[in-house]
Amino acid sequence: YPSYGESFTNSGCLTVSNGTFTAYLSRLLVGMKENGTKTITGVLDLQSSALGPFEVNGDAHIGKDTGEAPYGGLAGQGQNQNGKGYVYLPTGTVNIASNLYVGDVGAGSLGWLELFGTTVTVGRKVAIGATGVVTVHVYSASCGLNLQTSDTNNFTIAAGGRLHLSFEREVPRMWGLRMLGDQVSYLQGLRSADRLTCSTFNGRPAEIVYTEMHTVVRGPSVLGTVLMVW
């Protein structure tokens, strides 16, 4: 995996502006570090590329400390202080077999994940920390976070963190978040707490509904015309 300057103030950026990006990874670590005053910034920018198979067999950490010992240090000491991770993904599918962590609690830390028509399927847990921001741009097809769990303990958004769904085209009922089971009340609670926010193409509220064994947050219905024949 890429390691962005763990021992000094630095930044690393991997940008693909054409062609196809394909990855088979054991883990994905972007913008993570041990605590300290130095600033580390990691950027993975694929939004202008075509997305081929993108498989992560373990965890993905974006601006989130792993709790492991860095270079002989003490394990579990980090809160990703001054570590910033940015990931931008295009239309396509990313599969994360284990957990997705975005953001942490350390001062100056940031985890930023922005999906431009991307579906990210997560096998276990999604945790958006206090300094985590996930934005999903929904166009003409369903996309966004696809959680393969029905346990609400495996989908958390901390105070200060945010998941924002932007439904940008007049295509009704395309989802930007999907989770197994009936999670309507739980997701409504996240929305009431302003941890789950939505914007829509027509200004009407996004819908949180249970359908086909999943709960989805989807764009609103399109206002239509009624033909009445007397």
Side-chain angles (χ1 to χ4, degrees):
Y1 57 85
S3 178
Y4 297 115
E6 287 291 342
S7 59
F8 49 88
T9 296
N10 202 356
S11 63
C13 181
L14 174 60
T15 300
V16 180
S17 58
N18 56 53
T20 300
F21 181 88
T22 298
Y24 298 92
L25 308 176
S26 58
R27 293 195 295 175
L28 175 65
L29 307 177
V30 180
M32 49 75 62
K33 63 181 287 293
E34 81 284 3
N35 277 354
T37 57
K38 60 185 176 292
T39 298
I40 302 300
T41 302
V43 180
L44 176 62
D45 186 353
L46 306 178
Q47 62 181 306
S48 297
S49 70
L51 192 61
F54 195 143
E55 306 287 334
V56 182
N57 192 48
D59 295 339
H61 291 247
I62 302 171
K64 171 72 171 72
D65 179 71
T66 64
E68 298 170 354
Y71 298 100
L74 298 176
Q77 66 176 345
Q79 297 178 339
N80 217 58
Q81 180 183 5
N82 295 322
K84 304 176 189 296
Y86 300 85
V87 176
Y88 307 92
L89 299 175
T91 299
T93 300
V94 176
N95 294 311
I96 300 172
S98 192
N99 305 306
L100 169 62
Y101 301 98
V102 183
D104 211 310
V105 297
S109 72
L110 176 66
W112 184 281
L113 173 61
E114 192 159 2
L115 307 177
F116 297 88
T118 325
T119 299
V120 177
T121 298
V122 182
R124 294 182 61 189
K125 182 176 184 177
V126 172
I128 301 174
T131 63
V133 179
V134 178
T135 302
V136 179
H137 300 273
V138 183
Y139 302 119
S140 57
S142 294
C143 62
L145 296 181
N146 182 23
L147 283 68
Q148 302 298 294
T149 179
S150 59
D151 185 349
T152 56
N153 292 317
N154 285 336
F155 179 46
T156 60
I157 305 176
R162 184 174 74 254
L163 169 60
H164 180 71
L165 310 179
S166 177
F167 298 94
E168 301 185 7
R169 295 182 183 171
E170 195 169 340
V171 181
R173 300 187 174 182
M174 298 296 105
W175 55 261
L177 171 65
R178 184 169 76 162
M179 185 174 180
L180 277 172
D182 185 351
Q183 315 298 343
V184 172
S185 295
Y186 181 68
L187 296 183
Q188 286 176 337
L190 290 177
R191 182 161 67 177
S192 297
D194 287 329
R195 301 182 190 187
L196 169 62
T197 61
C198 302
S199 58
T200 66
F201 53 85
N202 59 10
R204 300 178 65 199
E207 303 171 351
I208 301 177
V209 297
Y210 176 59
T211 177
E212 298 180 347
M213 307 299 292
H214 292 81
T215 301
V216 298
V217 183
R218 66 189 187 189
S221 301
V222 177
L223 295 176
T225 301
V226 177
L227 173 65
M228 300 182 66
V229 180
W230 298 89

